[in-house]
Amino acid sequence: MDITFDRDTHVYRVDSRKVDSVTQILEILAPYDGVHPDILEAARQLGTNVHLTTELHDRGDLDEERLDPLLLFYLDGWKNFLSDTGFTITHIEEIVYSKTYRYIGTFDRAGILNKKECVLDIKTTAFQSK
């Protein structure tokens, strides 16, 4: 089975056939009607940048000196989570596919939390500075 993902178009293919992603399915179930496209795009870009930042950190390839302060804020939150919970990462940004239900997606992290295997989804949320 050959699985590919085009980051620019967010299209997954299995053996050259397009497969619906978890994101696409969720958009059908909970559309963002009424949210200005500029706001959605800014949120998407922030989420993408935070994901890449945490991924590079977890792989040991991040140059923190060059990070935007906003990304440092989210990275500090991620580091605090790892330290506070003792979460042990076993897999980073891996594509998973359900042949039975014909959907596909990329999970953010898998690992051990409280002695149990789990999958984590990293999210960016609104915050209020003090």
Side-chain angles (χ1 to χ4, degrees), residues 33-46:
D33 296 345
V35 179
H36 194 280
D38 290 346
I39 292 172
L40 287 175
E41 179 57 20
R44 185 196 66 76
Q45 287 180 10
L46 175 61

Side-chain angles (χ1 to χ4, degrees), residues 36-106:
H36 194 280
D38 290 346
I39 292 172
L40 287 175
E41 179 57 20
R44 185 196 66 76
Q45 287 180 10
L46 175 61
T48 297
N49 291 335
V50 168
H51 270 254
L52 181 57
T53 299
T54 58
E55 178 182 358
L56 290 172
H57 169 269
D58 294 346
R59 293 186 190 281
D61 292 332
L62 182 64
D63 180 0
E64 290 185 37
E65 298 291 321
R66 302 183 62 168
L67 275 184
D68 178 279
L70 181 60
L71 293 176
L72 277 173
F73 171 82
Y74 284 101
L75 178 61
D76 285 345
W78 178 243
K79 288 177 178 180
N80 288 338
F81 168 80
L82 293 173
S83 174
D84 292 349
T85 64
F87 178 70
T88 303
I89 299 168
T90 58
H91 298 84
I92 301 171
E93 298 288 332
E94 289 198 19
I95 295 174
V96 290
Y97 169 61
S98 172
K99 189 174 184 177
T100 302
Y101 299 108
R102 293 210 21 89
Y103 71 87
I104 198 164
T106 301

Side-chain angles (χ1 to χ4, degrees), residues 22-38:
V22 172
T23 301
Q24 292 163 336
I25 294 167
L26 289 175
E27 286 173 354
I28 293 167
L29 298 174
Y32 293 104
D33 296 345
V35 179
H36 194 280
D38 290 346

Side-chain angles (χ1 to χ4, degrees), residues 73 125-130:
F73 171 82
T125 60
F127 69 90
Q128 191 171 22
S129 61
K130 295 179 182 182

